[in-house]
Amino acid sequence: MARANAAYYAARDPFADFTTAPEISQIFGELLGAWAAVVWGQTGRPDPVLLVEAGPGRGTLMADALRTVARVAPDFAAALRLHLIETSPRLRAEQALRLPHASWHARLEDVPPGPTILLANEFLDALPIRQLVRVAGAWRERHVAGGRFVDLPCACDAGDAPDGAVCEMGEAARDWTAQLAARLARQGGAALIIDYGYAQPQYQDTLQALRDGKPVSPLVEPGTADLTAHVDFAALAAAARMQGAHIWGPAEQGRFLHALGLQQRIETLARHHPARAADIAAGAGRLASASGMGRLFKALAITASPDPPPGFSGQFSRSPHSIIATSGRLD
Ligand code: SAH
């Protein structure tokens, strides 16, 4: 699966197959930019600071975030050094059009050391998983052979579950998060991970493939469809905590965005662009509503310091919506 997805991201335009939050509404990246600016203040305003995005796609999220940062936090804008983690040459080229001053890396461990604020939206769901399947009272591991799934005996134990149950092991996402948390705990900073997934462990097959916006079999010709699986947030949180970092959430995306000032931002943009008011509200609604992305998608923050970052329960001194509600620019 890992190789199939690398081939996929390298060769196809993934955005023909699925739509992500920053492509739906500019408000998503703007609020994340405000989040990063506030967190920079909470971390003692390190200068320089690395602003890192993992899996930046078309670069839309970061472009929207930087526009907000330049406006509301010019000190942060001056201190930040932009680093992007991206394996696809094709997407790197697209990112360079919107983010000409970035440095690119293939892996987190290649990013230079220093205090870091990292954003990752729909990145971890693209990493490979293993699936264990309960068959006749025992766990087997699911493999692909000859274009089919085959469930082979294994020495694995995923607890007691009825026949047919599927246990997903997101080791790549877990190890990546542990590495990130260890870095933050040692060098300072914070990370915001947003993805679709579940807050409590579950026995469910969530492997899915999308091609041209439609679900297809995960066994279609490798490299021609986007393969994803839901993210196990409890496993990520536990892995990060083990490294000595502080964990916040997961919070449902809808609640999180509202806590950052989604509504105020919709109103400001709509006031400046009355003819587009309905579109603006519809896009933002899709990000936050329970029937859209508001519930399934979740936000998890990892911080070196014990102060709660914006959007998660707890006190914080400067609310992002008060600093970005004022500009009505649509891009
Ligand atoms: N964050 C973007 C794109 C999400 S798609 C958005 O919200 O629109 C996943 C992104 O992660 C793509 O940019 C893809 O090329 C990148 N990616 C996937 N697997 C990766 C890996 N193992 N290492 C680095 N980047 C990867």
Side-chain angles (χ1 to χ4, degrees):
M1 217 183 105
R3 244 174 299 129
N5 239 18
Y8 167 78
Y9 280 107
R12 283 185 61 104
D13 171 12
F15 297 93
D17 295 322
F18 59 85
T19 309
T20 59
E23 305 299 331
I24 293 171
S25 168
Q26 69 178 63
I27 300 178
F28 188 78
E30 292 172 342
L31 293 176
L32 266 52
W35 185 92
V38 173
V39 163
W40 179 66
Q42 289 180 325
T43 359
R45 302 165 62 93
D47 182 0
V49 62
L50 290 91
L51 179 61
V52 182
E53 185 177 0
R58 288 178 163 158
T60 309
L61 189 169
M62 189 54 83
D64 292 337
L66 290 177
R67 198 175 56 248
T68 293
V69 166
R71 193 167 66 232
V72 304
D75 295 353
F76 177 44
L80 71 85
R81 305 289 179 268
L82 186 59
H83 291 267
L84 305 177
I85 302 171
E86 176 61 68
T87 40
S88 158
R90 173 189 179 125
L91 286 175
R92 280 188 185 199
E94 193 158 340
Q95 291 153 18
L97 299 174
R98 294 190 176 89
L99 306 166
H101 304 298
S103 306
W104 279 264
H105 311 278
R107 303 171 310 165
L108 176 60
E109 51 266 51
D110 301 330
V111 176
T116 294
I117 297 174
L118 180 142
L119 305 175
N121 183 60
E122 288 205 45
F123 170 68
L124 292 179
D125 69 75
L127 300 186
I129 58 161
R130 289 165 59 208
Q131 284 190 330
L132 307 182
V133 188
R134 190 80 168 172
V135 182
W139 288 104
R140 290 176 166 234
E141 180 159 0
R142 180 156 285 181
H143 297 264
V144 177
R148 300 176 37 213
F149 284 131
V150 285
D151 300 330
L152 301 177
C154 67
C156 35
D157 183 9
D160 196 21
D163 277 356
V166 173
C167 176
E168 294 185 334
M169 320 269 281
E171 284 130 332
R174 188 198 60 198
D175 293 350
W176 190 88
T177 305
Q179 187 196 348
L180 170 64
R183 176 190 167 110
L184 295 174
R186 270 187 235 120
Q187 301 174 22
L192 181 63
I193 291 172
I194 302 183
D195 222 311
Y196 50 109
Y198 42 93
Q200 299 302 328
Q202 58 171 33
Y203 289 117
Q204 212 180 310
D205 179 358
T206 73
L207 178 64
Q208 86 177 340
L210 283 177
R211 186 155 70 185
D212 301 327
K214 294 183 204 74
V216 292
S217 160
L219 296 171
V220 292
E221 198 185 326
T224 64
D226 178 49
L227 288 175
T228 75
H230 287 204
V231 168
D232 178 352
F233 280 98
L236 301 187
R241 204 173 279 123
M242 290 255 299
Q243 303 298 325
H246 298 270
I247 311 306
W248 310 91
E252 289 178 358
Q253 174 166 295
R255 282 169 179 259
F256 176 70
L257 295 179
H258 277 296
L260 294 185
L262 180 69
Q263 195 55 39
Q264 290 88 335
R265 190 72 190 129
I266 295 171
E267 287 163 15
T268 305
L269 285 179
R271 234 184 357 261
H272 288 80
H273 304 271
R276 304 245 335 250
D279 284 352
I280 293 165
R286 216 172 131 191
L287 301 183
S289 65
S291 59
M293 304 168 81
R295 276 231 148 115
L296 176 60
F297 282 73
K298 296 176 182 69
L300 180 82
I302 305 173
T303 63
S305 93
D307 299 328
F312 298 90
S313 49
Q315 293 294 312
F316 52 97
S317 55
R318 201 160 165 234
S319 131
H321 66 248
S322 66
I323 56 179
I324 71 152
T326 48
S327 162
R329 195 167 140 197
L330 267 180
D331 291 86

